[in-house]
Amino acid sequence: MNSPTIEKRRIALEEKYLSSITKSPLTGIVIATLTTFVFIATGLLPYQTLETVIGFIIVAWLAVENGGNDVSKGVAPLVSSGAAKEIVALVYGSLVTAVGGFLSIYLGIKLLKLFTGGIIGANYKITIVMALAMAAGAALWVAFATRFSLPVSTTHAIVGAVVVVGTVTYGFSSVVWSSLIHKVVLPLILSPALGLSIAWLLMYAISLLKIPENASRGLTWISSGAICFVRAVNDTPKIVAITVLVAMLPSDVRQTDSLLPMFLLVTVAMGIGSLVKGLSVTRLLSNKVTQLDNYSSVSAVLTTTALVLSSSQMGLPVSTTHVSTSAIIGAGVRKGRQAINWIVVRDMVLSWLVTLPGAGLLGAIAYYILRILIN
C-alpha cells in the first residue's frame, strides 16, 4: 500500500474521531462538569446544595452546547468566503464570544429580567425541580441538534422548556401568554423574514458600491466578530436566568456583584463550547447552504449584527440562529435560487419548528423524573 493512500486513511480516521468528539453530547457534559467544579473549588461559585450544584452543571452544559451550536452563525461567512480557515475562525469566534458574554451583564440585563420573571406569572413559585427540568430540557435539545449538525435556537429551546414545565406544574394559567406573544413569539417569527429581506437589499446595495476586495474581506472579519459578540450579549443573560432560578435567587435581583459568578460560569462554558463543539454546524452553514463571496458575507453579517444588537438593547429575545441563517440565505438568493441548497434549508426550518415543543417535551420528562428523584 503506497504512502499517499495511508496518509488519506490517516486523515479520514482523524476527521472521523474529531467529528465524533465535537458532536457528542457527552463532550459537553464533561466540559460543563469540569468547569463547574473548577469554579466551586476556586470559590468563584459558592457551594450550596447537591441540587444546585447539579443545576449549575446542567446550565453550564446548556452554555457549552449553545456555544457549539451558535458560534457558527458568526464565523460561517468567514469560512464560506475563504477569508479564514475553520480552526482560525473558531478560535476568533470563541474569543469574541467570551468578551460578549462577560459584557452582557451590563448590556443584556433586560433579557435576564424577562426570562426570570416575564414568562411564568409572579404568583407562581419556580421550584428547584422546575428550574432543573427547564435547564435539562433546553440543554438536551440543543445537544441533540448539534449532534446532527442542525443550527437551532437556544432561545426557542429555553422558552419551550420554561412554558411546558410551567404548564405541567401549575397549568396554562401560570404562563403570562400576553408577554410571551408580544415579547417572545412575535420577535422570533419576524426575525427570519427581516434577516432574509434586509440581507437581500444590502447585497444589492453593496454590489453597487463596488467595495474593493481587501476592504470587503476586512469588513467580513469585523462584522463576523460583531455577530459573535452580539449573539453572546443576547444569549448569555437567557442562560444566566436559568442559573438564577437554580440558585433560588430572587427573580428581581439587580445587583451585578451577585450575578457576576454566574455570568462568568456561563461565559467560560460558552467560550469553550464554541471552540470545541463549533465545527460541525460551521461546516453546514459555510458549505452546504450556499457559497458566499466577500460581498454576500458582508451583507449577511451586517444584517445579523444590526438586528441582534438592537433586539438585545430592547430586551427582545430574537434568535441569532434565525436571523443569521436567514441573512445567509437572503445574501445567497441574490445570486439566484439555484445558489441555495433548499434541501438543507428545509431540514433547518423543520428543526426550528419542532424546537419549542421538542425542548418542552424533554423538559416535561425531566420534570417528572426529577420530581421522583428529589422529592
Side-chain angles (χ1 to χ4, degrees):
M1 188 178 293
N2 55 38
S3 56
T5 303
I6 295 175
E7 181 65 14
K8 285 182 180 179
R9 288 191 174 184
R10 183 188 66 80
I11 294 174
L13 286 172
E14 287 181 356
E15 183 68 22
K16 184 178 180 180
Y17 178 75
L18 179 63
S19 179
S20 64
I21 291 294
T22 58
K23 290 182 178 182
S24 174
L26 183 60
T27 302
I29 294 174
V30 170
I31 293 172
T33 302
L34 292 176
T35 303
T36 301
F37 278 111
V38 167
F39 268 68
I40 292 174
T42 55
L44 290 172
L45 199 65
Y47 179 87
Q48 296 183 20
T49 65
L50 178 61
E51 289 85 356
T52 55
V53 172
I54 293 172
F56 289 143
I57 292 173
I58 295 174
V59 171
W61 180 31
L62 174 59
V64 171
E65 299 297 345
N66 169 270
N69 200 276
D70 271 23
V71 71
S72 57
K73 289 83 174 187
V75 303
L78 277 176
V79 178
S80 182
S81 63
K85 299 293 186 182
E86 292 171 344
I87 298 302
V88 174
L90 286 173
V91 171
Y92 174 63
S94 301
L95 291 174
V96 180
T97 293
V99 174
F102 178 75
L103 293 179
S104 67
I105 191 172
Y106 307 106
L107 301 176
I109 200 69
K110 289 183 180 179
L111 291 172
L112 175 70
K113 296 173 184 176
L114 172 64
F115 277 80
T116 52
I119 298 178
I120 302 297
N123 295 328
Y124 299 91
K125 180 184 178 181
I126 298 180
T127 66
I128 185 67
V129 172
M130 291 174 66
L132 289 173
M134 292 169 182
L140 283 166
W141 185 262
V142 179
F144 174 81
T146 303
R147 171 65 182 83
F148 293 98
S149 304
L150 290 171
V152 296
S153 168
T154 301
T155 303
H156 264 178
I158 294 175
V159 170
V162 169
V163 169
V164 174
V165 171
T167 299
V168 299
T169 307
Y170 295 121
F172 286 98
S173 61
S174 65
V175 178
V176 185
W177 295 104
S178 58
S179 175
L180 183 69
I181 292 171
H182 289 94
K183 294 184 178 181
V184 178
V185 176
L186 288 179
L188 290 174
I189 291 174
L190 293 175
S191 56
L194 286 173
L196 193 150
S197 56
I198 293 174
W200 190 91
L201 292 171
L202 268 180
M203 178 65 182
Y204 178 72
I206 291 172
S207 64
L208 293 178
L209 291 175
K210 305 296 183 183
I211 299 175
E213 183 78 10
N214 289 337
S216 63
R217 183 172 291 239
L219 279 174
T220 302
W221 272 94
I222 294 171
S223 302
S224 290
I227 290 178
C228 294
F229 178 84
V230 299
R231 81 96 187 160
V233 169
N234 190 268
D235 283 354
T236 303
K238 303 169 192 174
I239 302 175
V240 170
I242 304 294
T243 317
V244 169
L245 299 177
V246 166
M248 303 305 292
L249 294 179
S251 61
D252 61 346
V253 65
R254 289 181 173 85
Q255 296 297 319
T256 55
D257 289 345
S258 62
L259 295 174
L260 184 58
M262 300 177 189
F263 271 88
L264 285 174
L265 174 67
V266 172
T267 296
V268 171
M270 187 183 291
I272 297 173
S274 299
L275 181 61
V276 175
K277 301 203 66 180
L279 185 61
S280 62
V281 181
T282 297
R283 284 180 172 173
L284 181 134
L285 288 181
S286 61
N287 299 319
K288 297 180 181 179
V289 176
T290 187
Q291 190 66 39
L292 300 179
D293 54 24
N294 283 323
Y295 289 157
S296 51
S297 293
V298 170
S299 172
V301 294
L302 286 178
T303 299
T304 304
T305 303
L307 285 176
V308 176
L309 182 59
S310 59
S311 299
S312 296
Q313 291 302 300
M314 292 185 289
L316 299 175
V318 300
S319 166
T320 309
T321 300
H322 294 183
V323 173
S324 61
T325 306
S326 300
I328 289 172
I329 295 170
V333 165
R334 186 71 198 174
K335 302 177 183 178
R337 289 177 55 84
Q338 69 281 358
I340 305 295
N341 187 336
W342 294 106
I343 295 176
V344 174
V345 172
R346 178 203 63 193
D347 292 342
M348 288 193 302
V349 172
L350 286 175
S351 70
W352 296 352
L353 293 175
V354 298
T355 292
L356 275 167
L361 177 61
L362 291 174
I365 294 171
Y367 171 75
Y368 286 117
I369 294 173
L370 289 167
R371 193 172 66 173
I372 294 171
L373 295 176
I374 294 178
N375 295 338

